[in-house]
Amino acid sequence: EDISEAVRVLRTGMLVQGVEVSKFESFVSKLVNTSYASAVSNGTAGLHLALLALGIGYGDEIIIPAFSFIATANSVELVGARCVFVDIHPGYFNIDENKIEEVISERTKAIIVVHEFGLCANMPEIMKVADRNGLKVIEDAACAIGATLYKKHAGSFGDIGSFSFHPRKSITSGEGGMIVTSEWEYDQKVKTFRNHGIEPGSFPNNFIAAGFNYRMTDFQAALVLNQFMRLDYIIETKTDLASVYFEEINHKSVRLPEIAEGAKHSWQTFHVLCEDEKMRNNLMAYLKEKGVQTNYGAQCIPAMSYYRNKYNHNSETEFPNALKAYSCGLALPIYSTLRKEQVKYISEMINRF
């Protein structure tokens, strides 16, 4: 059905951003409960545009978690701002809201909150910190489509939310992303910057900014929108698979993830922690021998070469939880066509190791 939808659009000859993208945007804004949504070419483009929409630029400081996919930090660097890193909760893998306020300075303009692996960060407390200090909040909800906290959807707490539809996500357009907001001004800026700087709705085109080509194609929109019809089923299936992992894995040196109160996890990744890096690497190799593909979860960003050289952080002392999540973390298979018997087999291999 998904392929048929993409083919239907291809046969119309209308391929770039158009009617299908508009339908997709309307659907997502209703799902997330925001006033506006803008489809973009990928999740990183979404973060880039979110920062530009908020007027973030040279000399500004942006608070981000020390543990995330590198794109979170790269988007900050691309607008000329500086990353200010904060360590994470060891069990949730999200930014530790209790450590945010201590790094705020007069140059701090915003917080990028990452809902890592599909679990919402503690947004009520983070929004209180932001409000007290006059800061904007961007939600990097790349992993968190369908995730909620106290029944409020990821991406709808802050000023702007950004989703990704990369193939590693629960639903995919190949590459693609979506920006959501309830502020008309931010939405207009996003729609301008994503489309070469063209004023939205102008005809003939009125170029009011130096913009980018961050558009989504119509056939991508049709491909992913059809998958949204199964989103609840996909998340329920992955939740069931996660429960099998919780029941079956009993290796004393493998720490399972935690779920915060009131949170509905979307389970983009089932991420466990091993005792140390050597054990993690050996376990990965062992599982590969047994026919099980695993992966690293995310990066301790300040420990990566570019950021280590630029900011000169000592991650072992400053961000120990983020460093452990990176060096000892392991992403296990979890996708909607995986069978429970296969999860039991994976768990058995872990226990045997």
Side-chain angles (χ1 to χ4, degrees), residues 76-280:
V76 174
E77 296 288 313
L78 288 171
V79 299
R82 288 183 59 83
C83 296
V84 177
F85 300 103
V86 172
D87 206 5
I88 60 167
H89 286 285
Y92 302 142
F93 307 115
N94 287 324
I95 192 169
D96 188 339
E97 66 280 0
N98 298 310
K99 296 181 179 179
I100 293 175
E101 210 143 19
E102 62 192 55
V103 301
I104 294 174
S105 75
E106 59 184 16
R107 292 187 174 183
T108 307
K109 293 295 189 296
I111 307 167
I112 297 181
V113 182
V114 180
H115 303 308
E116 196 61 58
F117 303 138
L119 177 68
C120 286
N122 190 346
M123 292 308 300
E125 292 303 315
I126 291 170
M127 294 307 300
K128 289 177 186 177
V129 172
D131 291 342
R132 279 199 301 268
N133 294 277
L135 303 179
K136 300 297 183 182
V137 175
I138 297 171
E139 293 177 70
D140 182 345
C143 302
I145 193 72
T148 61
L149 182 62
Y150 301 116
K151 298 185 179 181
K152 186 174 173 65
H153 202 291
S156 67
F157 290 87
D159 296 279
I160 299 178
S162 178
F163 297 98
S164 169
F165 303 113
H166 179 272
R168 191 173 168 182
K169 308 304 185 285
S170 295
I171 54 178
T172 182
S173 52
E175 290 282 5
M178 184 72 75
I179 305 172
V180 295
T181 183
S182 289
E183 294 293 330
W184 180 84
E185 177 187 356
Y186 300 152
D187 179 66
Q188 290 297 291
K189 287 182 178 179
V190 166
K191 285 181 166 62
T192 298
F193 283 125
R194 76 170 172 178
N195 191 22
H196 300 288
I198 299 173
E199 181 180 13
S202 64
F203 186 81
N205 292 335
N206 183 23
F207 293 85
I208 60 175
F212 309 90
N213 181 358
Y214 281 169
R215 296 173 302 198
M216 176 182 279
T217 66
D218 257 18
F219 57 88
Q220 285 176 301
L223 174 68
V224 72
L225 180 55
N226 200 65
Q227 294 168 61
F228 264 98
M229 304 304 127
R230 304 191 303 277
L231 180 61
D232 287 343
Y233 166 78
I234 290 169
I235 293 178
E236 287 172 9
T237 301
K238 295 176 83 171
T239 301
D240 287 344
L241 296 176
S243 68
V244 177
Y245 276 129
F246 280 114
E247 292 169 6
E248 298 292 331
I249 296 177
N250 55 29
H251 193 299
K252 64 180 181 180
S253 298
V254 175
R255 179 175 174 177
L256 301 175
E258 299 174 26
I259 306 174
E261 180 184 353
K264 176 187 174 184
H265 206 308
S266 66
W267 293 114
Q268 184 259 352
T269 297
F270 193 91
H271 188 258
V272 300
L273 285 183
C274 297
E275 193 171 56
D276 54 38
E277 186 173 5
K278 181 180 179 182
M279 178 193 166
R280 190 273 308 275

Side-chain angles (χ1 to χ4, degrees), residues 297-328:
Q299 289 81 44
C300 176
I301 299 174
M304 300 298 99
S305 295
Y306 172 83
Y307 292 95
R308 185 177 65 248
N309 293 337
K310 178 172 181 177
Y311 293 100
N312 198 32
H313 285 297
N314 184 333
S315 295
E316 288 188 14
T317 57
E318 297 178 69
F319 315 111
N321 294 333
L323 186 61
K324 184 174 180 61
Y326 166 63
S327 60
C328 304

